[in-house]
Every structure is written in structure tokens, then in C-alpha cells.
Amino acid sequence: MAPDWLHTLVAKAARSPVPAGMRPPDDGSGRPAAVLMLFGEGPDVLLIQRSSRGRRHAGQPAFPGGGLDPDDDGAVGAALREAQEETGLVPEGVEIVGTLPELYVWRSDNRVTPVVGWWRTPCAVHPASPDEVEAVERVPIAELADPANRLKLRHPSGYSGPAFQVRGLLVWGFTAGILDNMLRWCDFERPWDHHRVEDLPPDVVNLAAR
């Protein structure tokens, strides 16, 4: 059975307002999409690093996911399908706990529904689609919460947001924002230096600007 803290995550997300910059457009525009926030014993979370050859979000760590296809069973079906295609995940081993409120990613014009899952029966995972995924990692929650791995990254636009340096990954943007909330809502967060602000590396900026 999924642990209580995952149910807490879904419940607190439902009660928390979506930041203004991430609210889906009122006119319904934007492509429906979903990501799988898959947590396992440890606890840990499944992350991928997108291929540097990709057209959108190139080289960025992320949750497995993508756009909804007509044959998908909604956001849950899309999240599981994409995770299977990208990492070799066996969907039958995942218990779906719930979904978080829809978020808008303006860079890709996606309306993203995060799907929260518990990895009831773990399986081996790997970059199953090398053209899309360069690496797959199960990142311990303890490493995300470690103050030494936490910082804020400043985009050339002037915006700064939470980030993590874990397992050779620089996690920032949309994914880091969700993980930051997860740590806080689930009482995993430890005091860290919010004044540690660094510029987003130029190579990361250039890949993200594709």
C-alpha cells in the first residue's frame, strides 16, 4: 500500500493555490500532457534526463511524461504509457495514488497533470528511448532534502527558482518546483540556505532555449 505521506502530498496539493505563472489559460488553449511522479521504497523518486538532441526541454532532468494521445485513458494512462516508453517501466507494478492540479508550462504550451504513483512492484529501468532519454535515475528523497544539494538558480530573464544537484543531475525549472513543494508538504524538508543563488549555466540555458 502507498504510504500516508503520498496521500498527504495529493491532499495538500489540492488545497494549495496554483502560482499565477503556472495557471492554465482560461481559454482552454495548450496541449494536454501528463507526467508520472513515481515514488518507491527508500523512499526515492524516478527521474529521467532528456536527450540533449531533443527539440524541447533538451538535456533537462524531468519526470517521465509527455502529451496525451487519443487512445490514452486520460492523464493517468498517458503518464504510465510515456514512462513505459521512456524507461521500460512495467505499469502493472504501479499503484496510482492520485493527481495534482493541472499546471501550465508556457515554454512548450503544455497543460500538465502530475500523476502520483507508488512503485508497488519495482522493476529495472533504463533509457528505453535513447533519442528522447539519456539517463534514468532513482533519486533518494534524502538526497533531495540534503541542504548541501539545494540552491536557487537564476535564469538570464532574472527569475530564480529552486534547484537540486543530485546524482550528477542539475534539476531545475518545472520539475524542481514540484519537488520543492513535495518536500515541504510531506515534511521531508530540512533547513537550507535560500541565499545560495547561482546563475543557470550557459550550456543549460542554450539547450533550454531550443
Side-chain angles (χ1 to χ4, degrees):
M1 298 289 291
D4 289 343
W5 59 267
L6 271 186
H7 294 281
T8 296
L9 169 62
V10 172
K12 287 191 175 181
R15 297 194 299 266
S16 301
V18 174
M22 301 192 75
R23 292 173 192 160
D26 293 333
D27 63 5
S29 61
R31 180 192 183 197
V35 295
L36 182 63
M37 298 175 60
L38 183 59
F39 297 91
E41 291 284 358
D44 57 30
V45 61
L46 182 68
L47 294 180
I48 64 172
Q49 180 162 4
R50 298 206 173 277
S51 170
S52 58
R53 301 185 299 274
R55 292 179 300 167
R56 292 178 176 174
H57 308 296
Q60 292 186 29
F63 302 111
L68 270 66
D69 285 350
D71 295 336
D72 287 331
D73 182 15
V76 171
L80 290 172
R81 174 184 56 76
E82 287 282 351
Q84 182 178 30
E85 292 174 357
E86 294 177 341
T87 72
L89 174 77
V90 177
E92 290 75 16
V94 177
E95 174 187 341
I96 299 300
V97 180
T99 60
L100 306 191
E102 188 179 58
L103 303 170
Y104 183 64
V105 182
W106 67 267
R107 182 75 179 83
S108 55
D109 191 32
N110 281 332
R111 307 170 69 100
V112 182
T113 299
V115 176
V116 179
W118 174 246
W119 213 344
R120 181 181 59 238
T121 308
C123 63
V125 287
H126 64 285
S129 180
D131 288 339
E132 299 181 34
V133 178
E134 289 185 356
V136 178
E137 290 285 347
R138 294 184 63 170
V139 179
I141 301 299
E143 292 185 17
L144 292 170
D146 186 341
N149 296 333
R150 304 209 58 181
L151 71 159
K152 288 184 177 180
L153 284 178
R154 182 171 45 231
H155 191 272
S157 65
Y159 171 80
S160 62
F164 303 85
Q165 292 176 319
V166 287
R167 301 285 164 127
L169 303 175
L170 180 61
V171 186
W172 61 285
F174 174 85
T175 304
I178 293 180
L179 291 172
D180 177 63
N181 283 332
M182 179 274 295
L183 292 175
R184 185 167 59 256
W185 289 337
C186 298
D187 293 328
F188 290 132
E189 186 175 42
R190 295 165 56 190
W192 60 284
D193 184 5
H194 290 252
H195 298 291
R196 181 188 171 192
V197 181
E198 299 179 9
D199 290 330
L200 200 60
D203 60 329
V204 174
V205 174
N206 291 336
L207 282 175
R210 286 184 181 177

